[in-house]
Amino acid sequence: MSLKEHLYELRYRLGLAMLVIAVGAIFGFIWFQVRLGPIPSLGDILTGPYCQDDLAPYRADITKDGRCALLQTEPFEIFLVQLQVGTAAGAVLLSPLWLYQVWAFITPGLYQKERKFARVFVAAGALLFVAGAVLAYLVVPEGLKVLLGFGSGNWTTALTGSKYINFVITMLFIFGVSFLIPLVVVMLNRAGVLSYERLAKWRRGLTMGLFVFAAVATPGTDPISMVVLALALVLLFEMAIQISRVHDKRKAKLRSAEGWDQLDDNEAAPFNYVASDAEGNDPGEKAVASEPTKRVNYDDAT
């Protein structure tokens, strides 16, 4: 396509993606206060960690209709929180639809092998992000116990809705994004940027760096959230190192089988490369197969 056609295609895909996000925002805004059958409302899910019975000694006894509640200290505060959270939740729930629009714009420029790797890494990234968000949701109550326990003899805590919701969302986002770090390591290893030997050599320093990152990244600065995030990242990072080890081992066997390591410095590589089309088909496969592979000695050629 021409540049003009590419811009039209980009505008069309962005328009569809924005429409999907708008529909998701409306759905999330309604879900914030409405139960969906057995599924609790989004507001109940977010306030669940704060309203646990274990935190009752640390918070002020503020209730609404006999239920634990947060404070609203400014006009329209709850409306803005509901709009913000609803938009984020809708965008996450309908992410396969608007991400497909991004994929449909990019994929015509990718080869079949690149599409395959992109699908694998996107799927793995989505699972890791969700796993990190779930872990953060489970850690929030324990972190609140530590944070609200300071000065509990002289102070009582009544959190505002916006402050608490921002804290929870930040925790979910940071844990989710942090879980993508090992995936980046695997991608760099596949691309040949990081080898297993280098990762193994840097293991101690990177482990220390992960603990420092967890201490800086967690918004609550409580020790429980820091330690849980750091241990989870160390475990995932070790898995990434082992995946890199297996990949490099297979790559070394392939090089040995093809005779790459036995070549002289002035000897050409033992293959004839023919570019494939976007579908992964090799138009010159038959022609290459019919011709014997030649090795050129550059001393003789000169």
Side-chain angles (χ1 to χ4, degrees), residues 11-26 90 94 97-98 101:
R11 184 183 65 177
Y12 172 72
R13 295 298 178 184
L14 287 178
L16 290 179
M18 294 177 64
L19 178 61
V20 170
I21 293 176
V23 172
I26 296 174
L94 298 185
L97 298 180
W98 61 264
Q101 302 303 325

Side-chain angles (χ1 to χ4, degrees), residues 48-187:
Y50 176 72
C51 293
Q52 287 187 2
D53 295 336
D54 295 343
L55 288 176
Y58 305 101
R59 65 173 185 263
D61 190 14
I62 298 177
T63 60
K64 181 179 180 181
D65 299 330
R67 300 172 56 190
C68 171
L70 296 168
L71 286 177
Q72 179 179 214
T73 59
E74 299 177 1
F76 302 108
E77 180 180 359
I78 185 60
F79 174 81
L80 296 177
V81 170
Q82 185 172 344
L83 180 62
Q84 174 188 2
V85 175
T87 302
V92 171
L93 291 176
L94 298 185
S95 58
L97 298 180
W98 61 264
L99 283 176
Y100 172 77
Q101 302 303 325
V102 179
W103 176 258
F105 178 76
I106 296 176
T107 188
L110 300 178
Y111 290 105
Q112 184 66 28
K113 185 177 181 180
E114 295 172 338
R115 297 177 190 176
K116 177 182 177 181
F117 279 113
R119 293 191 190 100
V120 172
F121 283 114
V122 169
L127 292 177
L128 288 173
F129 185 90
V130 172
V134 172
L135 179 62
Y137 186 81
L138 298 177
V139 171
V140 165
E142 302 302 324
L144 286 176
K145 288 181 183 179
V146 177
L147 295 175
L148 301 183
F150 288 108
S152 59
N154 301 318
W155 297 78
T156 185
T157 302
L159 298 179
T160 62
S162 60
K163 297 293 185 181
Y164 170 75
I165 295 298
N166 288 335
F167 170 75
V168 174
I169 292 179
T170 303
M171 284 283 291
L172 298 179
F173 179 77
I174 289 178
F175 270 67
V177 173
S178 299
F179 271 45
L180 300 179
I181 296 177
L183 181 63
V184 175
V185 173
V186 174
M187 293 175 63

